[in-house]
Amino acid sequence: MDSKQKTLELGTKPVGRLLIQYATPAIVAMTASSLYNIIDRAFIGQVVGPEAISGLGITFPFMNLSGAFGAAVGVGASTCISVKLGQKDYKTAEHLLGNTVTLNLIIGFLFMAVCLIFLEPILRFFGASEVTLPYAREFMQVILAGNLITHMYFGMNAVLRAVGKPRHAMYAVLFTVGMNILLVIAFVWWFRWGIRGAALATITSQTMALCWQMYIFSNKKELIHLKKGIYKLKASLVRNIIGIGISPFLMNATSCVIVIFMNNQFVHYGGDMAVGAYSIANSVVMVFFMFVIGITQGMQPIVGYNYGAEKYDRMLKCLWIAIAAATSILLVGWGLSMLFPRQIARIFTTDAHLLDLASKGIKIDMLVFFVVGSQAVITNFFQCIGKVKISIFLSLTRQLIMLLPLAYLLPLKWGLDGVWYSMPVSDLGSFSMTIPLLLWYLRKLKTHGK
C-alpha cells in the first residue's frame, strides 16, 4: 500500500511540493553526473594530455547515439507507465516494465555488436585524426563492450522515477558517480591505464548500480515488479514505448549528427585543439543544463499522471513552475560563464593555446543560454502528454533545422568564430518557434480538452 499511496499522491499532493520532491533528486543526480564528467575530463586532460581531451571530444557522438537508443526505451516506457498509473491500469504498467527490460537487452546488444565491428571507420567519420584516433578508440572499445549495462541502467532509473521512487533513482546515480570518481582515481592516476581506465571506471560503476536497481524491482511488495510473464514483447506496448520515445531518440540522434558535423567543422577551421575547446565548452554547458534535465525528469511523472487522470489544471501548473525554475538556473550559468570563462576553462587544462580557445568558446556558446531552459521544458511537456509530432518537431528545431545549416554557412564568412556563433543563434531561433506552439496548444486545450 505504501508504494501505491506514493503513486496516488501524484494526483493529490500540491504540485509545487511534488515538483520539488521529484525534481530535487533528479537535479542532484544529474548535477553529480555532470560534475563527474568534468572531473573525468580534468583527470584525462591533466594526467594523459590535451590530445586525450580532443580524442574524448570525438566520442561525444557515440555517447549521444547510445543515449538516443536508451532514451527511446527508457523515456518512452517511463512516460507510458506514468500515464497507466494515472489511469489505475497497474497490470499494463507491469507489462511495460517487463517489455522495457527485453527491449533494452535487444537494442543494447545490437548497438554494441554493430559499433564494435565498424569502430575505426565510424570514429574517422566522426572527425578523428591520426593524433586523436588512438584515444577515442581505446575509450569506446570499453564503453561499447558495456553498452548493454549502460542501456539497462538508464532505462531502470527512468522507470524508478515513474513509479514514485525519485530518491532511489537519485541514490543510483550518486552511487555511480561516487564509485566512478574513486575508480577513475585508481585506474587513471594510480594504475596509469589512461583513457581506457576512465571508460572501465564508468562501466564498472554502472554495473554495480544496475544490480541494486534490479534488486528493487524484484521486490514483490512493490506496486509493479519483475515477475514471470511480463517479458514477452507485446506489439501494442512496444508501439507505445517507441511512439513516445521517438522524440528523445531523435533529439539524441540529432545531437550525434550535430557533434559529428561540428567536430569536423572545428577540425577544418581550427585543428585538433579547437575540438578540445568544443569538448570543454560542451562540458560546461552540460553542468548547468543537467539542472534543466533534472527538472524535466521530475515533471515527467507528474505531468503524465495528471494528464492520464485528466487533471489539466495540475498538469499546467507543473509546466509553469518548471519553466520558471529552468530559466532561473540557466541565468545563473549564463552569468558565471560571462564573468569567469578563463577560470572555468582552467579546470580542464593548463595548455595556453587550448585555454585561449576554450575560454572564448565558453562565452560564445553560453551567449543566450538562458532561453534554452524553457525550450527544453516545453519540448518535454509535449512528450509527457503523448503529443509526439510536436515534441519531435521541437526536438529537431534547434539542432537539425537551425544549427546544422548555420554551422555550415557562418564559417564560410567568419571562419572558426562562425562555427562558435552558430550555436547561440540557433538557440535563439528555436526558442522563437517554441513559444507560439505552446500558446496554440493552450488555446486548444481550453476549447477542446485533450
Side-chain angles (χ1 to χ4, degrees):
M1 287 299 295
D2 180 60
S3 178
K4 186 174 182 179
Q5 184 60 38
K6 287 181 179 178
T7 303
L8 293 174
E9 283 182 351
L10 290 167
T12 58
K13 198 172 182 177
V15 173
R17 286 169 57 192
L18 268 178
L19 188 58
I20 292 172
Q21 177 185 332
Y22 276 77
T24 299
I27 289 171
V28 171
M30 291 296 99
T31 304
S33 180
S34 183
L35 288 175
Y36 160 71
N37 288 329
I38 286 183
I39 294 169
D40 192 28
R41 282 157 180 74
F43 246 93
I44 290 171
Q46 302 290 351
V47 177
V48 187
E51 292 84 3
I53 284 283
S54 298
L56 200 61
I58 297 298
T59 69
F60 280 167
F62 248 135
M63 306 299 279
N64 285 336
L65 190 58
S66 176
F69 285 100
V73 178
V75 176
S78 62
T79 301
C80 290
I81 288 171
S82 293
V83 173
K84 291 302 176 184
L85 292 176
Q87 296 170 346
K88 310 294 189 297
D89 187 356
Y90 303 127
K91 183 178 179 180
T92 301
E94 205 156 54
H95 278 86
L96 282 164
L97 171 63
N99 277 222
T100 302
V101 173
T102 305
L103 282 173
N104 272 317
L105 288 172
I106 294 171
I107 295 174
F109 176 79
L110 291 175
F111 183 86
M112 171 193 69
V114 172
C115 291
L116 279 174
I117 292 170
F118 301 104
L119 180 58
E120 189 160 325
I122 292 173
L123 288 173
R124 289 189 181 278
F125 177 70
F126 286 178
S129 67
E130 293 301 324
V131 175
T132 58
L133 179 62
Y135 297 105
R137 181 175 55 224
E138 284 186 18
F139 186 80
M140 287 310 304
Q141 281 173 342
V142 178
I143 292 294
L144 287 171
N147 184 70
L148 193 151
I149 296 293
T150 301
H151 274 217
M152 192 68 70
Y153 162 72
F154 284 114
M156 291 298 100
N157 234 37
V159 177
L160 276 174
R161 288 188 296 270
V163 299
K165 293 184 177 294
R167 289 187 178 275
H168 290 74
M170 177 186 72
Y171 296 150
V173 176
L174 289 178
F175 171 82
T176 305
V177 169
M179 183 57 64
N180 221 327
I181 292 172
L182 292 176
L183 292 176
V184 163
I185 293 171
F187 295 165
V188 178
W189 182 70
W190 184 261
F191 293 117
R192 297 288 169 168
W193 288 350
I195 200 168
R196 189 185 295 271
L200 184 60
T202 297
I203 298 302
T204 303
S205 58
Q206 288 178 350
T207 302
M208 297 168 72
L210 176 61
C211 290
W212 182 66
Q213 292 170 331
M214 300 305 284
Y215 171 77
I216 293 173
F217 282 113
S218 299
N219 187 351
K220 294 180 180 180
K221 294 181 180 179
E222 296 295 336
L223 182 60
I224 66 170
H225 57 270
L226 299 172
K227 62 182 182 181
K228 291 182 180 180
I230 64 173
Y231 303 103
K232 184 178 180 180
L233 294 179
K234 293 187 174 182
S236 60
L237 299 185
V238 172
R239 278 197 301 269
N240 287 338
I241 291 171
I242 301 302
I244 292 175
I246 194 67
S247 175
F249 170 82
L250 289 174
M251 185 167 61
N252 282 277
T254 303
S255 293
C256 172
V257 173
I258 291 299
V259 175
I260 294 169
F261 182 75
M262 296 296 279
N263 278 340
N264 280 282
Q265 289 292 83
F266 277 113
V267 168
H268 180 71
Y269 289 100
D272 287 335
M273 288 298 100
V275 176
Y278 178 48
S279 173
I280 290 172
N282 255 350
S283 297
V284 175
V285 166
M286 288 310 297
V287 168
F288 298 104
F289 194 67
M290 282 296 180
F291 283 90
V292 177
I293 294 176
I295 291 169
T296 60
Q297 288 181 351
M299 69 178 276
Q300 181 267 315
I302 304 169
V303 169
Y305 184 99
N306 285 286
Y307 181 75
E310 298 186 1
K311 297 182 178 181
Y312 303 127
D313 55 333
R314 292 175 57 81
M315 175 188 78
L316 292 178
K317 188 173 183 179
C318 184
L319 169 67
W320 298 127
I321 295 173
I323 289 174
T327 302
S328 300
I329 289 167
L330 294 195
L331 275 170
V332 173
W334 171 81
L336 292 173
S337 299
M338 294 300 106
L339 293 172
F340 310 109
R342 195 169 187 85
Q343 291 87 337
I344 294 171
R346 197 178 294 277
I347 296 171
F348 299 88
T349 183
T350 55
D351 183 87
H353 182 46
L354 182 55
L355 196 57
D356 289 339
L357 288 172
S359 56
K360 181 179 179 180
I362 289 169
K363 285 191 72 171
I364 298 174
D365 198 2
M366 302 281 280
L367 196 59
V368 294
F369 192 50
F370 47 86
V371 306
V372 175
S374 56
Q375 202 267 349
V377 168
I378 294 167
T379 300
N380 183 264
F381 169 76
F382 283 117
Q383 173 190 302
C384 291
I385 62 175
K387 304 298 181 184
V388 179
K389 291 181 180 179
I390 299 175
S391 181
I392 290 173
F393 173 73
L394 293 178
S395 297
L396 299 181
T397 297
R398 178 190 179 271
Q399 299 182 93
L400 203 60
I401 299 174
M402 294 283 181
L403 184 55
L404 195 64
L406 286 169
Y408 174 77
L409 294 171
L410 296 187
L412 296 176
K413 183 173 179 62
W414 291 290
L416 183 59
D417 283 350
V419 185
W420 284 114
Y421 277 106
S422 64
M423 291 182 279
V425 173
S426 66
D427 288 340
L428 204 57
S430 61
F431 171 76
S432 67
M433 299 178 73
T434 301
I435 301 303
L437 275 173
L438 177 62
L439 295 175
W440 166 82
Y441 175 74
L442 293 177
R443 287 195 297 268
K444 181 176 178 291
L445 182 67
K446 187 177 180 180
T447 307
H448 304 294
K450 289 187 181 184

